[in-house]
Amino acid sequence: MVNYGGDEVSALVIDIGSSSLRAGYAGDDTPKAIIPSPYGYIPPSALSGDGDATMNENGTSEVAGKAKSYFGHSGPSIWRANMEIGNPISDGLIADFGPIPALIRHALEDVMHCTASEHPILVTEPSWNTQANRERMAEIMFEEFQVPAFYIANTSVLNTFAAGKGSALVIDIGQSVASVVPVVDGFVLRKGLQFSSLPKLVHAHARHLLTTPNPVRPPAELYPYQLISSKQAVEPNAHPRYTLREDRLAGTTRSWREWYEAREVEEWVQTVAGVLDQGWNDQLLQHRQHKQYEFPTGYNAWFGPERFGVGEMYFHHTPQLAGNPDIPKHIPGLITDSLKACDPELRQVLISNVVLTGGGSLFSGLADRLGSELARSFPHFKIHAPGNPIERRYGGWLGGSILASLGTFHQLWISREEWQEHGKAIVGQRCK
Amino acid sequence: MASAADVRSILSLPATSSPAAGPSHQPKKQSTVSTRKPEGISRELYSLIGSSAPALAAQLAKPRLKQKPNLGGGGKVKWEWRSFKNGARSDSLELGHWVKATDKPNADYQFAKYNVQPTVYEWSQDEYSRHLEDSEWTKEETDYLFKIAHEYDLRWYIIHDRYEYPNGPTREIEDLKDRYYSVCRKLVRNRTWAGDEASKSQLLLSFQYDKEKEILRRKYVASLASRTPEQIQEEEALYIEIKRLEQNERQFKRDRENLLRTIAGVDSGLPDIVEDDATLIVADPKKKKLKGMDLDIPQTPVLTAPVMKRPPTLNKNAVYDATHCIIRNDPPPTTPATKVAHTPAYLRSFKIPYPKAAIAHKVNALLTEIGVSHSRLVMPTQANCQHLESVIDAATNLVELKKVLDKVNQDVEVLKNRLELREDGGDGGSVADAMETDDRGETAEPEGENRRSQSVMSARSTRSRKHSRRSMSVSSVDTAVPASTRTVVKRQKRM
């Protein structure tokens, strides 16, 4: 136990991302609770009508304010009349702190069945987090959850730790933000911090690809299973034959529709899309397999070169896109800019410790492509990309789990006593 | 007493199934008891080989499980959840963890010892104004620098990243480091030091920082990093080229060495050629480039003949040489220091002069007469060798002179006889006689002119003693021989 410097004090680690919230015990290798960040809520105005007594599934509903909110796996994904979908996270930051306590409470109490006031809690934050945000998080933890001790750690640093390194160039591709962060000796170099909403662009491109008419196949209609009452098997590229649940259509809100359409696109991307590992090459593309995908409507098609066009967006912008200054920077651009801002002596250290992480990096062939992109400008580099998808997706949580179970870390916790004594300022002083 | 059953068993007949064979059970039982399967032999094997199993195998192959390791205690370990206080914390936070119930309850937290704080340097206003004034830095900024440096435990890259002094100039990492270390140095130097001098100077040494050098180094790193791929490729190509050339050269050297050894023999005393590859590799890129271009010219033996390194002899070790009787033979400076012109080391006794083979026995006789043994020089020092050489030269000259003298004397005798004959026989001159007179007339020419022509000839033939000798033997002028011999000898001496 002493040999590896571990000393577990049954701390909890909470890692909140754009797509999901991860919570678990420090010292574990996977989070115990992984729940989606988006949540469903029924505004009070709509609540007055037909009663929701029947929708009270296994305690996932919480009353936040007057609206009725639904969290967890049976939260947003279950159709409810007039249910809106909200996501407290935007661009990796917590934009709306309203539902955050309820979200955390759901993860800790309903999924993990533990009491927050008995455990020190380590929360993660993105590198571009604001001081006000982290102070607010500390306040929630101390005032609402009554935790004995609290710490807020940077996801990039935690990803570095999860890879077993002290210094690294962390390339984190999430659901809404892709970031390149240089970490040296466990500290983020703020001058080299680069991030862009590139995944959103990729998503928009994929959606455009699916929904625009095409000479080969009709556009896909992104209805979810929840709204389809029956469907028939059809040939590939044929128009689907299905009937919608008319009774539900009326009660479907716009935000829920957007949420599920985005989810359908995402599912398609995760199943079908890929990256050419040696750069765009039309000849090589002819030899790649086509992949079939079936949408909830029964519509199905084979996707060939276009599925690689989606991943290509991460590394290369078409000329008409590149001219636009508002377009988020692609990954090679982010890496170049990040390294440019670093000390020349550090560049070699960083480039030989590249850590690739985040769920968005699970595109097939993305790690190889990144390697071939880096090989163009750097003679020596090394990419650490865990093959285990759990490690890749929850690298930040894993690093937090490692950090919070270290014996030497326990002197860094912000205790209740310190919080009461120093107030919010202690967060900035302690968590550098 | 032998029963029917016993007889049957002796003859190995099957037992009868009659009830009368009842007692036959007893011996069977006995046999199973007496020949019990020894340990270490499998049952199947035993049933095959019977009791003739080797006793040794039974001992050696005794199967035994590996002894289980005793990991201490053996019994159950009781763990309990205890709350603890961390000595590295300043507050009263109590966290809990699982510990062995046998551990001491009030021991210090074992990870608190890793909380090592660096020494913090502080100064008063007075101290600052006396020692630490710097036109570039204000006291407030210096204070801020020390605060942030301490906060980030002297991780300079982080300090530089987070350094934000309001309204301050932009500082490079070298500026920060330089200021920090110079302040520390001054403080250590000017304060009273409690410990010994050695530890003080060591501490000062640890605060040593050369700003200019660091800036230069960083520039180098930056320029190295900013090479274009083409430059890197070119450099790599040049590097490979130089490697190839080196290999060629090595191969060439080896071949030539082999050739020389074959021609000159193994004992020719060839030294091993100095491999000066190291100097080629260490050269900086520019120089490397130049060299690469130079060596790109198709190889000829002359071009690539390895440049031998001459030992630097010039008066450097004169005293040492004198005391150790070392005499250095400097090669002539004009000749290229190639292998061809190189004189390897040799034993001086190999170069002891010998008299010419033709007159060797005469010279030897002469030498033995004066009591010199040239064949065995007891102490062939340089001086001795020179003496011997001069002695042999003198002896050779003497012998040759004597030979010539004898010849001339004989000629004089013959001519005298002939003159007498002529005077006796009157003037009836024959053709042969006329020719003789011609001959004589020629020989009677003044000595000076003759000598001049001879010297010209000898000058042409001074290349070797042999050569001049042959030319002499070709010339039919007998009387000129002594003079020419003299000149030749003179020249030899000069050589």
Side-chain angles (χ1 to χ4, degrees):
Chain A
M1 199 166 184
V2 185
N3 289 340
Y4 58 89
D7 184 18
E8 287 170 22
V9 295
S10 81
L12 300 177
V13 179
I14 299 175
D15 178 23
I16 307 179
S18 306
S19 68
S20 63
L21 177 150
R22 284 77 72 171
Y25 287 103
D28 281 5
D29 55 0
T30 32
K32 283 260 185 292
I34 301 166
I35 59 167
S37 296
Y39 65 103
Y41 64 97
I42 299 174
S45 55
L47 205 60
S48 52
D50 41 355
D52 279 86
T54 52
M55 307 256 177
N56 214 352
E57 299 95 358
N58 55 21
T60 53
S61 59
E62 292 287 331
V63 179
K66 276 189 173 176
K68 200 167 170 57
S69 302
Y70 303 88
F71 298 99
H73 289 289
S74 38
S77 54
I78 287 175
W79 183 88
R80 295 178 182 90
N82 301 320
M83 186 175 74
E84 304 270 359
I85 297 294
N87 191 342
I89 318 289
S90 94
D91 285 342
L93 295 183
I94 299 175
D96 174 18
F97 272 94
I100 288 290
L103 198 63
I104 293 174
R105 199 173 290 281
H106 171 74
L108 297 187
E109 290 174 6
D110 299 332
V111 181
M112 288 176 67
H113 302 289
C114 64
T115 316
S117 60
E118 291 170 1
H119 304 276
I121 291 187
L122 180 126
V123 181
T124 67
E125 56 167 2
S127 309
W128 52 94
N129 202 9
T130 60
Q131 190 60 32
N133 253 2
R134 60 210 313 229
E135 282 168 5
R136 179 85 181 88
M137 181 53 88
E139 196 181 336
I140 288 173
M141 282 299 158
F142 281 118
E143 306 301 337
E144 291 202 34
F145 288 94
Q146 304 286 323
V147 295
F150 166 79
Y151 193 81
I152 189 156
N154 196 302
T155 41
S156 310
V157 173
L158 295 181
N159 270 307
T160 311
F161 290 163
K165 297 170 190 295
S167 305
L169 187 72
V170 181
I171 301 175
D172 188 346
I173 306 173
Q175 195 197 37
S176 59
V177 183
S179 64
V180 175
V181 187
V183 176
V184 173
D185 285 345
F187 290 95
V188 169
L189 290 185
R190 289 184 189 148
K191 285 172 185 156
L193 170 63
Q194 290 285 333
F195 62 98
S196 72
S197 54
L198 185 64
K200 279 185 178 169
L201 179 75
V202 175
H203 183 93
H205 175 75
R207 188 194 182 106
H208 176 77
L209 208 71
L210 289 176
T211 51
T212 45
N214 183 298
V216 187
R217 54 183 166 76
E221 286 157 300
L222 302 168
Y223 282 110
Y225 288 106
Q226 288 95 322
L227 294 183
I228 289 165
S229 64
S230 68
K231 61 183 173 187
Q232 286 173 326
V234 291
E235 288 298 305
N237 292 341
H239 278 281
R241 277 177 289 178
Y242 61 97
T243 48
L244 287 172
R245 293 183 66 156
E246 298 295 339
D247 56 327
R248 286 189 170 183
L249 273 182
T252 302
T253 60
R254 220 178 119 246
S255 63
W256 194 70
R257 175 186 282 262
E258 273 169 10
W259 175 77
Y260 74 65
E261 283 184 353
R263 227 174 65 134
E264 289 308 326
V265 172
E266 198 154 291
E267 214 140 278
W268 176 81
V269 167
Q270 284 173 8
T271 317
V272 169
V275 183
L276 279 179
D277 42 11
Q278 294 300 329
W280 193 259
N281 184 332
D282 285 320
Q283 280 180 329
L284 270 181
L285 214 52
Q286 300 306 319
H287 302 292
R288 301 303 287 260
Q289 270 190 341
H290 289 228
K291 264 192 181 175
Q292 195 182 23
Y293 185 80
E294 185 181 320
F295 289 91
T297 53
Y299 167 72
N300 66 94
W302 289 88
F303 295 93
E306 54 203 335
R307 71 193 184 95
F308 292 103
V310 178
E312 190 66 17
M313 301 280 287
Y314 278 116
F315 295 95
H316 183 74
H317 288 336
T318 50
Q320 65 259 35
L321 274 183
N324 189 341
D326 296 335
I327 287 296
K329 274 184 272 189
H330 50 60
I331 289 175
L334 290 174
I335 294 173
T336 318
D337 289 354
S338 174
L339 287 179
K340 216 185 279 172
C342 291
D343 195 286
E345 287 180 65
L346 284 175
R347 283 176 201 154
Q348 193 50 52
V349 176
L350 292 173
I351 206 68
S352 26
N353 287 293
V354 175
V355 172
L356 182 65
T357 184
S361 71
L362 284 169
F363 262 83
S364 68
L366 192 131
D368 295 335
R369 177 63 184 279
L370 185 65
S372 62
E373 289 287 335
L374 287 180
R376 275 183 214 169
S377 28
F378 302 99
H380 307 289
F381 65 92
K382 191 160 193 287
I383 298 176
H384 175 98
N388 179 354
I390 297 284
E391 257 176 66
R392 189 85 76 85
R393 293 172 73 187
Y394 310 129
W397 185 89
L398 188 61
S401 163
I402 292 168
L403 182 66
S405 60
L406 286 179
T408 43
F409 171 72
H410 300 319
Q411 68 182 64
L412 285 174
W413 291 109
I414 300 167
S415 67
R416 243 191 120 58
E417 188 187 328
E418 284 171 317
W419 170 257
Q420 279 157 358
E421 193 178 324
H422 301 280
K424 288 177 176 176
I426 186 86
V427 182
Q429 281 170 28
R430 190 64 61 79
C431 313
K432 293 163 190 164
Chain B
M1 279 264 282
S3 66
D6 287 342
V7 173
R8 275 202 191 85
S9 77
I10 288 165
L11 298 174
S12 61
L13 290 170
T16 52
S17 54
S18 66
S24 72
H25 283 290
Q26 205 188 355
K28 243 184 193 171
K29 230 179 228 167
Q30 260 178 359
S31 77
T32 53
V33 168
S34 63
T35 58
R36 256 189 53 154
K37 181 176 86 73
E39 281 180 66
I41 292 181
S42 66
R43 187 174 50 80
E44 293 83 356
L45 181 66
Y46 184 73
S47 66
L48 276 175
I49 62 175
S51 55
S52 63
L56 199 62
Q59 278 175 17
L60 280 179
K62 191 166 187 179
R64 192 174 282 163
L65 288 172
K66 199 176 157 192
Q67 204 170 11
K68 279 188 179 166
N70 183 12
L71 293 174
K76 278 184 283 184
V77 178
K78 198 164 185 294
W79 291 78
E80 58 183 27
W81 181 263
R82 273 191 212 154
S83 60
F84 67 95
K85 277 178 86 170
N86 190 340
R89 295 188 67 92
S90 54
D91 62 346
S92 64
L93 174 69
E94 285 204 0
L95 296 166
H97 60 178
W98 289 100
V99 284
K100 278 182 188 165
T102 49
D103 286 359
K104 274 185 284 176
N106 286 321
D108 281 345
Y109 187 52
Q110 56 186 345
F111 293 103
K113 64 178 179 231
Y114 298 112
N115 184 30
V116 184
Q117 299 290 337
T119 355
V120 190
Y121 286 92
E122 280 168 344
W123 49 85
S124 59
Q125 179 65 48
D126 175 50
E127 226 174 352
Y128 185 86
S129 52
R130 262 195 296 148
H131 306 303
L132 308 177
E133 282 294 357
D134 191 308
S135 58
E136 296 266 307
W137 293 75
T138 62
K139 182 171 187 295
E140 286 70 35
E141 193 172 359
T142 313
D143 288 344
Y144 173 75
L145 170 69
F146 271 69
K147 190 181 135 279
I148 196 172
H150 182 233
E151 199 177 329
Y152 291 107
D153 287 334
L154 300 186
R155 291 183 177 94
W156 287 106
Y157 295 119
I158 319 288
I159 294 166
H160 179 237
D161 186 61
R162 308 284 163 94
Y163 193 88
E164 268 173 17
Y165 186 69
N167 306 322
T170 50
R171 305 277 190 197
E172 285 302 310
I173 192 165
E174 283 85 9
D175 300 331
L176 302 177
K177 275 175 145 176
D178 187 43
R179 178 64 177 159
Y180 182 86
Y181 288 125
S182 69
V183 166
C184 287
R185 271 201 310 270
K186 282 171 189 161
L187 286 178
V188 171
R189 223 176 264 146
N190 291 309
R191 280 179 181 172
T192 46
W193 184 257
D196 55 343
E197 274 310 299
S199 62
K200 183 176 176 177
S201 59
Q202 198 170 4
L203 189 67
L204 277 174
L205 207 65
S206 72
F207 288 135
Q208 208 57 251
Y209 186 76
D210 189 344
K211 189 178 168 187
E212 302 306 317
K213 209 192 243 174
E214 289 293 309
I215 291 175
L216 195 69
R217 190 177 66 85
R218 216 154 71 99
K219 271 187 194 156
Y220 279 140
V221 173
S223 71
L224 195 68
S226 61
R227 290 174 302 174
T228 61
E230 287 79 36
Q231 282 171 325
I232 293 172
Q233 238 167 15
E234 190 190 347
E235 209 162 281
E236 219 139 82
L238 284 173
Y239 186 74
I240 290 167
E241 180 72 10
I242 216 167
K243 277 277 164 211
R244 195 180 61 76
L245 287 171
E246 262 167 31
Q247 208 174 350
N248 278 353
E249 195 174 335
R250 221 171 291 140
Q251 177 73 34
F252 178 74
K253 271 182 199 166
R254 210 167 29 238
D255 287 355
R256 198 185 42 191
E257 185 112 333
N258 286 342
L259 210 63
L260 281 171
R261 279 190 196 283
T262 320
I263 293 166
V266 187
D267 302 327
S268 62
L270 280 172
D272 285 329
I273 292 167
V274 185
E275 295 276 344
D276 44 6
D277 299 339
T279 55
L280 285 174
I281 298 165
V282 185
D284 62 329
K286 274 185 188 169
K287 212 170 173 188
K288 207 192 278 177
K289 224 175 266 179
L290 278 177
K291 269 197 181 169
M293 284 164 187
D294 271 356
L295 294 175
D296 227 10
I297 301 162
Q299 290 195 336
T300 62
V302 179
L303 251 183
T304 50
V307 178
M308 303 294 291
K309 279 188 190 157
R310 276 183 205 159
T313 52
L314 297 170
N315 293 333
K316 198 172 154 195
N317 300 323
V319 180
Y320 178 86
D321 287 358
T323 51
H324 291 86
C325 301
I326 294 170
I327 295 132
R328 294 180 190 276
N329 296 323
D330 284 330
T334 47
T335 51
T338 54
K339 176 98 195 211
V340 187
H342 178 74
T343 326
Y346 56 87
L347 285 178
R348 200 180 279 128
S349 53
F350 282 6
K351 298 274 171 126
I352 290 174
Y354 287 96
K356 276 168 289 183
I359 51 168
H361 65 278
K362 281 184 184 169
V363 173
N364 285 348
L366 196 65
L367 287 177
T368 17
E369 204 175 298
I370 57 173
V372 176
S373 163
H374 86 278
S375 59
R376 205 175 119 74
L377 204 56
V378 178
M379 196 66 83
T381 62
Q382 199 181 30
N384 282 354
C385 281
Q386 269 170 1
H387 283 139
L388 183 66
E389 196 175 357
S390 59
V391 165
I392 287 174
D393 266 354
T396 313
N397 283 346
L398 192 64
V399 169
E400 280 184 351
L401 270 175
K402 184 147 188 298
K403 216 163 125 193
V404 174
L405 185 70
D406 287 350
K407 198 168 188 324
V408 171
N409 279 343
Q410 202 189 347
D411 281 355
V412 169
E413 283 298 309
V414 169
L415 287 173
K416 266 185 185 166
N417 287 343
R418 223 181 255 177
L419 199 63
E420 278 171 17
L421 277 175
R422 184 177 279 189
E423 280 168 355
D424 288 349
D427 277 330
S430 62
V431 181
D433 278 350
M435 276 179 77
E436 283 285 326
T437 7
D438 264 12
D439 223 333
R440 202 187 50 206
E442 232 175 286
T443 48
E445 266 179 73
E447 185 97 321
E449 199 187 330
N450 199 343
R451 194 184 264 180
R452 199 175 59 214
S453 72
Q454 276 300 324
S455 74
V456 168
M457 188 197 74
S458 66
R460 242 187 290 134
S461 59
T462 38
R463 248 165 273 143
S464 75
R465 216 179 283 185
K466 225 178 187 175
H467 197 145
S468 68
R469 175 88 61 64
R470 206 179 55 210
S471 71
M472 277 190 298
S473 66
V474 165
S475 77
S476 56
V477 190
D478 288 337
T479 44
V481 170
S484 80
T485 316
R486 222 178 298 139
T487 49
V488 168
V489 169
K490 254 187 196 166
R491 286 198 172 265
Q492 277 167 5
K493 280 209 165 171
R494 229 172 277 156
M495 275 162 76

